[in-house]
Amino acid sequence: MKENQSTNYPALYTLVVVFFFWGFIAAGNSVFIPFCKNYFQLDQFQSQLIDFAFYSAYYIGALLLFIFSTISGRDLVGKWGYKRSIIYGLLFSALGAAAMIIAVEVNVYVGMLIGLFIVALGFSLQQTAANPFAVLLGDPKTGASRVNLGGAINSFGTTIGPLVIGYALFSTFEPISNSEIANLPLNKVVYLYIIVGLLFVLAAGLFHFSKKVPAGVNNEPMESANKAKNTLIVMTILLLLMFIPVFTSYKGETALQIEKLQAQLSTLTDPAAITTLKAQIREIAHPLELKRMAWLVGALLSVIGGLVFAYSKASKNAAGWGAMKYPQLVLGMLALFIYVGVEVAIGSNLGELLTLDEFGSLQSSEITPYVSMYWGGMMIGRWAGAISAFQFTNRTKQILLVIVPIVAFAIIIGVNSLAGFDMSHLLFFIICVAIQIISFFISKEKPARTLLIFGALGLLAMVVGLVSTGMVAIFAFLTGGLACSIMWGSIFSLSIVGLGKYTEQGSAFLVMMILGGAIIPPLQGKLADIIGIHNSYILPLLGFAYIILFAIIVRGFLKKQGIDIDQIESEGGH
């Protein structure tokens, strides 16, 4: 690619469509989760399996691509070409949309999970190809701005997704009681996924027939990393072994006994009898829930343990570990795993939190504007973060750093108001946006400093949310979205700097860590089943604490490698 080459705008505009899809579906899951909980009568952990299915597909897809590429000695996506890889990914997602339609028609929750898994498998392939493809479509010096444009479009999808999917699920923007949800027809969900599936096919057609979209073939040899590959395979097997006992426990003898007692509970009218039976159910369920929690903690430790093992072994003998021989990458993989998990968990559990009396006693149909604002917070931060990728004067950047977040906030308020929601109570969230703007000014466009400051903002927000209730706590948890908004780019940049020829492989490892969105939300869901949904937000708090720790210790590793940390530029959002 020659420097100063003009940007291929027709190809770029075609490409950013797929960025929109990722955000649209992912954020829409936050509305889909509380709906399915009431529709299928699930506990909080079972409802979070939507995230498990969706984000585990990203990991499985990226892992399979890595394994096949390692075996062949060539990057599979590069061999196919970025254009063809995106087409394959879009068609695979269309297949997932078809599976989703069938599952909705037969009214099977597991089938819906399978459909979402297939959709996200396609997304995994698209994402692996899309970011380097965006860089390829013009002057490498301006590659970051094109990736950031994709991130901005992705974030707009996260704002629109909850509104569209909320309307498809509830058939209205008017409040519907949770008890009525089980009787709602799902025909609009079928229509939604017919449209989404057709859009996937249409986008694939645009890529295929467009003469202006280059093939993007990359035949660079794949760097060897057999030890890393084997570690990831063992880690995956351990994860599977940890989740199987949890899944099977829902069909076990104790679970069936609890179901019978709950069915009996619904027939009682005497308050004393109801209280006695509820106590009996809790007594039986508590040991079972603790066992499930132990297995889920084991799943989390499988990931942490696998990465710590890789870090320990590679530091003693780097041969065979590929990109994992770099400590900033391995610790960054854990940071990205935790960040994605925290980002998804806060939003996905928000619907259940808002059903509590002290949080407004909202019905599932009423949470959409809050979910939209949470994911919209990602858009606010990413739009502001994208300013630094453009060649503005410092004065112009400072002005835009104030204006852009306010405009993004106004867009979120505007689209929700057009949908008929009363947003007056969320107008005061502009105070939290102002705090984020101040954080940007303090960060001074330096990834490590930015990560430290925004990690501290997230930690403080979780503390405030945990010790308070009502709108103060709601605003605090929504601020988690503002804090998370810049973390992908900052963690990504700090993790791959100094990797040299292993940069592409390191990037693939980091994409695998979207796995955090599959592990941490169900873990918080089960924690909520045991200690309550409000108290379960201790988990995101711990996540932000590690991200702060990573921002501090990565400085030392990079300094030892002779890398000037202040010269690192952030990558775009996922």
Side-chain angles (χ1 to χ4, degrees):
M1 176 68 66
K2 295 179 181 179
E3 292 190 6
N4 301 320
Q5 179 175 338
S6 60
T7 299
N8 185 339
Y9 285 107
L12 180 62
Y13 295 150
T14 305
L15 178 64
V16 295
V17 171
V18 301
F19 282 81
F20 178 85
F21 282 142
W22 305 338
F24 180 88
I25 299 295
N29 286 344
S30 295
V31 176
F32 200 44
I33 286 168
F35 173 86
C36 286
K37 179 176 181 178
N38 291 288
Y39 189 87
F40 293 104
Q41 300 298 303
L42 309 172
D43 66 20
Q44 191 63 12
F45 164 78
Q46 289 173 306
S47 70
Q48 294 295 317
L49 292 179
I50 289 172
D51 282 336
F52 174 79
F54 189 78
Y55 290 99
S56 64
Y58 272 94
Y59 171 70
I60 295 297
L63 179 62
L64 289 174
L65 283 172
F66 173 66
I67 291 172
F68 291 142
S69 297
T70 301
I71 292 172
S72 66
R74 295 278 177 182
D75 177 27
L76 199 58
V77 171
K79 182 180 178 181
W80 288 341
Y82 298 135
K83 176 179 177 178
R84 197 194 303 177
S85 297
I86 291 172
I87 292 170
Y88 290 161
L90 286 164
L91 293 177
F92 215 87
S93 293
L95 181 65
M100 191 72 174
I101 292 166
I102 294 170
V104 171
E105 288 284 13
V106 298
N107 209 26
V108 176
Y109 181 57
V110 174
M112 294 181 187
L113 297 180
I114 293 171
L116 281 172
F117 180 85
I118 298 171
V119 168
L121 267 181
F123 285 0
S124 176
L125 181 53
Q126 294 165 39
Q127 180 143 338
T128 302
N131 285 315
F133 199 26
V135 175
L136 186 70
L137 296 177
D139 188 338
K141 289 182 178 179
T142 58
S145 66
R146 291 188 292 279
V147 173
N148 277 306
L149 174 63
I153 298 298
N154 171 276
S155 295
F156 184 65
T158 65
T159 303
I160 299 297
L163 290 167
V164 176
I165 292 179
Y167 183 76
L169 291 170
F170 302 110
S171 301
T172 178
F173 289 126
E174 296 298 320
I176 296 173
S177 69
N178 289 341
S179 59
E180 294 177 303
I181 288 176
N183 299 318
L184 287 176
L186 293 182
N187 58 311
K188 281 191 172 64
V189 179
V190 173
Y191 299 149
L192 172 66
Y193 274 92
I194 288 174
I195 294 170
V196 168
L198 290 174
L199 287 173
F200 286 145
V201 174
L202 177 62
L206 284 173
F207 271 92
H208 178 72
F209 292 109
S210 176
K211 302 295 184 183
K212 295 185 177 181
V213 179
V217 174
N218 179 9
N219 284 316
E220 289 294 320
M222 187 79 173
E223 298 297 335
S224 176
N226 285 324
K227 291 179 181 177
K229 178 192 69 178
N230 294 337
T231 299
L232 289 168
I233 291 172
V234 171
M235 190 176 82
T236 305
I237 293 170
L238 286 174
L239 279 172
L240 185 63
L241 292 175
M242 294 296 170
F243 269 95
I244 286 176
V246 182
F247 294 150
T248 56
S249 72
Y250 280 90
K251 295 298 180 183
E253 185 179 334
T254 304
L256 294 175
Q257 182 185 357
I258 293 169
E259 281 185 20
K260 288 180 182 179
L261 291 174
Q262 288 175 332
Q264 182 183 339
L265 183 65
S266 64
T267 64
L268 298 177
T269 56
D270 179 39
I274 291 172
T275 302
T276 302
L277 190 54
K278 281 184 176 180
Q280 184 181 350
I281 292 172
R282 283 195 298 270
E283 186 177 348
I284 297 171
H286 189 66
L288 177 61
E289 296 289 30
L290 290 178
K291 287 179 182 177
R292 290 168 174 167
M293 188 67 189
W295 285 113
L296 292 172
V297 170
L300 178 65
L301 293 178
S302 297
V303 177
I304 297 174
L307 294 176
V308 170
F309 173 81
Y311 169 75
S312 174
K313 291 294 184 181
S315 62
K316 295 174 183 175
N317 181 8
W321 286 101
M324 281 193 184
K325 68 183 178 181
Y326 293 93
Q328 66 265 34
L329 176 73
V330 179
L331 296 176
M333 287 171 69
L334 181 57
L336 207 69
F337 171 87
I338 290 173
Y339 144 69
V340 175
V342 166
E343 171 192 288
V344 176
I346 293 172
S348 295
N349 286 284
L350 190 61
E352 181 65 14
L353 181 76
L354 294 173
T355 63
L356 299 179
D357 291 341
E358 58 269 35
F359 284 88
S361 300
L362 299 183
Q363 304 298 319
S364 294
S365 61
E366 297 177 287
I367 70 166
T368 299
Y370 295 91
V371 172
S372 180
M373 182 60 75
Y374 173 76
W375 289 104
M378 307 292 291
M379 181 179 79
I380 293 169
R382 287 178 181 169
W383 283 16
I387 295 170
S388 61
F390 297 92
Q391 302 302 312
F392 298 123
T393 64
N394 287 335
R395 179 63 177 167
T396 303
K397 284 183 179 180
Q398 289 175 348
I399 294 171
L400 289 175
L401 208 51
V402 175
I403 293 174
V404 169
I406 294 173
V407 170
F409 177 73
I411 290 172
I412 300 164
I413 294 293
V415 294
N416 279 276
S417 297
L418 287 174
F421 289 109
D422 177 13
M423 300 297 288
S424 59
H425 53 296
L426 285 171
L427 289 174
F428 292 103
F429 190 62
I430 191 67
I431 297 170
C432 300
V433 175
I435 294 172
Q436 186 199 44
I437 292 171
I438 294 169
S439 299
F440 271 115
F441 277 102
I442 299 172
S443 300
K444 297 181 179 179
E445 301 178 15
K446 298 174 181 178
R449 186 171 181 170
T450 299
L451 192 60
L452 181 63
I453 290 169
F454 278 78
L457 176 62
L459 182 68
L460 179 62
M462 294 304 105
V463 170
V464 172
L466 283 165
V467 300
S468 60
T469 57
M471 289 306 297
V472 171
I474 291 172
F475 279 11
F477 290 131
L478 291 178
T479 300
L482 298 174
C484 287
S485 61
I486 55 80
M487 288 187 177
W488 173 277
S490 296
I491 295 171
F492 207 101
S493 301
L494 292 167
S495 301
I496 64 170
V497 67
L499 267 59
K501 66 180 181 178
Y502 292 102
T503 299
E504 191 167 334
Q505 186 183 93
S507 299
F509 287 150
L510 288 168
V511 170
M512 289 181 200
M513 291 300 100
I514 292 177
L515 174 69
I519 306 299
I520 293 178
L523 183 62
Q524 185 178 345
K526 183 50 63 188
L527 189 61
D529 289 332
I530 298 171
I531 66 173
I533 187 67
H534 189 189
N535 292 330
S536 73
Y537 275 82
I538 186 72
L539 198 60
L541 184 150
L542 296 174
F544 282 122
Y546 174 76
I547 289 168
I548 293 170
L549 178 64
F550 170 73
I552 295 171
I553 62 177
V554 75
R555 284 178 170 274
F557 288 116
L558 296 178
K559 190 175 181 180
K560 285 180 182 178
Q561 296 171 31
I563 297 170
D564 184 353
I565 200 168
D566 292 332
Q567 298 302 314
I568 302 170
E569 294 182 2
S570 294
E571 298 289 327
H574 68 295

